[in-house]
Amino acid sequence: MLRRQARLRREYIYKKSIEQRQKTIEDKKNRLKQAIDENRKIPTDLRDDALKLQQQTDWDDAGGEGIVSAEDDEYRWAGAEDPKVIITTSHDPSSKLKQFSKELNRLIPNSQRINRGNYNSRQIVEACRSNQVTDLILVQETRGVPDVIQISHFPYGPTASFSLSNVVMRHDVPDVGPMSEQYPHLIFSNLTSKLGQRTTNILKYLFPVPKEDSHRTITFVNQDDFISFRHHIYKKNEGQIELTELGPRFEMKLYQIKLGTFDQLDACDTEWQYRPFMNTTKKRQFLANENDKE
């Protein structure tokens, strides 16, 4: 098993290196094509390979990129099989963190909650891989308040980390309705940038494909890079739609995406990370395009 995992990991890294090489060549071809279209001088670093790149460009189809990235490979079975999600907590969780993990367990269909105990991250990841788990969710706390949720996709990542704020449990939601067992319809709003689409994929593949007659909805609404999570069930009453909130509710803010699983976070590449100098860019949004601000 260990040899097989090591071999598969080497194949994955090799595919990533080929993808990076293809991306570099594609970038050169785009720069050359732009220079020719705008009747400008060819950049000096492209002049030696300009003729060869031009010949390759002649075979490119409009709109047919054809380059399969690692992001496509990560979720290649999404939708074909129902996800299998494991939910756990940090070591020695408080009662509130345990309650929050239980509510996440009821929220996500086909998920299982396990006690962390004395298991380290490597042991949990190996157990998930051996049981064909698709995603692992780890929730953490500070002084008894849930404040971090990490979502790791198997077998090779990515791992997305979100900070949590304004967490409201089900029993604190006014006029809360009974929890539904239907597979939910997902609604994503204002996640239009490339990073926003990446975040959408990480979140939506935690849930199985719902039936058309399902009356349960889960909403992720982005506003100023804070994703508001809401959970409802609806019914039609005399032509009107009535919403009943099921809870829980919270706000999420993405701060890191790593190209690996929990046990590799210190060694794997960082795809995106929120840096301290980004605090000054108050008007800039990372999860939505500039022209799509709401």
Side-chain angles (χ1 to χ4, degrees):
M1 178 62 72
L2 292 177
R3 288 182 179 179
R4 181 175 180 272
Q5 289 182 2
R7 175 176 57 81
L8 292 176
R9 181 65 185 172
R10 287 196 301 269
E11 291 178 358
Y12 176 74
I13 294 174
Y14 176 67
K15 289 180 182 178
K16 289 283 295 178
S17 65
I18 293 178
E19 176 194 341
Q20 187 64 32
R21 194 185 316 154
Q22 290 177 330
K23 185 177 180 181
T24 303
I25 295 174
E26 195 69 22
D27 181 59
K28 288 182 178 180
K29 289 195 290 187
N30 290 336
R31 290 170 57 201
L32 177 63
K33 186 175 183 300
Q34 185 178 4
I36 293 174
D37 292 342
E38 297 177 0
N39 198 22
R40 293 187 289 104
K41 288 185 178 181
I42 297 175
T44 54
D45 59 321
L46 300 179
R47 290 176 184 175
D48 293 340
D49 301 325
L51 187 59
K52 183 179 178 180
L53 291 172
Q54 179 62 30
Q55 291 174 348
Q56 294 177 357
T57 306
D58 292 339
W59 292 95
D60 290 344
D61 295 331
E65 297 84 3
I67 299 177
V68 179
S69 66
E71 294 181 17
D72 300 324
D73 194 55
E74 288 165 356
Y75 295 101
R76 64 185 181 276
W77 298 117
E81 300 176 358
D82 286 348
K84 187 177 180 181
V85 181
I86 295 296
I87 301 171
T88 188
T89 64
S90 54
H91 293 289
D92 193 21
S94 65
S95 58
K96 189 170 184 179
L97 188 65
K98 289 180 181 178
Q99 181 63 30
F100 184 64
S101 65
K102 290 178 182 178
E103 294 191 3
L104 289 179
N105 182 25
R106 299 184 65 189
L107 175 74
I108 301 175
N110 303 329
S111 64
Q112 293 181 334
R113 187 182 69 89
I114 61 173
N115 294 325
R116 180 67 180 269
N118 293 322
Y119 295 112
N120 58 35
S121 59
R122 181 175 291 277
Q123 291 173 317
I124 292 177
V125 167
E126 289 176 355
C128 290
R129 285 201 177 112
S130 61
N131 288 279
Q132 288 78 47
V133 171
T134 60
D135 294 274
L136 173 64
I137 298 178
L138 173 67
V139 288
Q140 303 178 43
E141 63 182 345
T142 299
R143 297 176 182 173
V145 179
D147 63 346
V148 171
I149 182 169
Q150 292 179 294
I151 303 170
S152 186
H153 183 70
F154 287 96
Y156 307 120
T159 297
S161 302
F162 301 84
S163 61
L164 295 177
S165 58
N166 303 327
V167 177
V168 180
M169 303 293 185
R170 263 179 55 82
H171 60 269
D172 293 326
V173 175
D175 301 324
V176 67
M179 180 64 76
S180 172
E181 297 294 331
Q182 293 179 316
Y183 289 175
H185 292 286
L186 305 180
I187 301 172
F188 293 91
S189 177
N190 201 29
L191 293 162
T192 54
S193 68
K194 186 176 180 180
L195 180 62
Q197 292 298 320
R198 176 70 157 154
T199 306
T200 298
N201 288 337
I202 292 172
L203 293 173
K204 78 177 181 180
Y205 290 131
L206 295 173
F207 299 87
V209 178
K211 295 183 178 179
E212 292 184 1
D213 59 351
S214 174
H215 286 191
R216 184 182 173 198
T217 63
I218 290 179
T219 308
F220 298 89
V221 179
N222 169 45
Q223 187 172 9
D224 296 331
D225 285 341
F226 284 90
I227 302 175
S228 297
F229 175 91
R230 296 295 184 269
H231 181 203
H232 295 89
I233 192 169
Y234 71 89
K235 64 178 181 180
K236 295 182 179 179
N237 185 12
E238 298 179 355
Q240 301 293 324
I241 300 295
E242 294 184 0
L243 284 177
T244 302
E245 187 170 2
L246 303 182
R249 66 168 74 153
F250 49 84
E251 319 294 327
M252 307 166 61
K253 185 175 178 65
L254 177 70
Y255 68 85
Q256 188 183 73
I257 298 179
K258 286 274 194 175
L259 294 176
T261 51
F262 278 125
D263 57 333
Q264 305 163 348
L265 294 184
D266 294 333
C268 61
D269 294 333
T270 301
E271 180 177 336
W272 184 87
Q273 186 169 6
Y274 193 84
R275 302 287 185 179
F277 66 84
M278 296 178 181
N279 291 331
T280 59
T281 58
K282 293 183 178 179
K283 295 183 180 180
R284 182 180 177 188
Q285 292 189 11
F286 298 99
L287 298 179
N289 292 324
E290 292 295 325
N291 54 356
D292 293 332
K293 289 183 179 181
E294 294 182 355

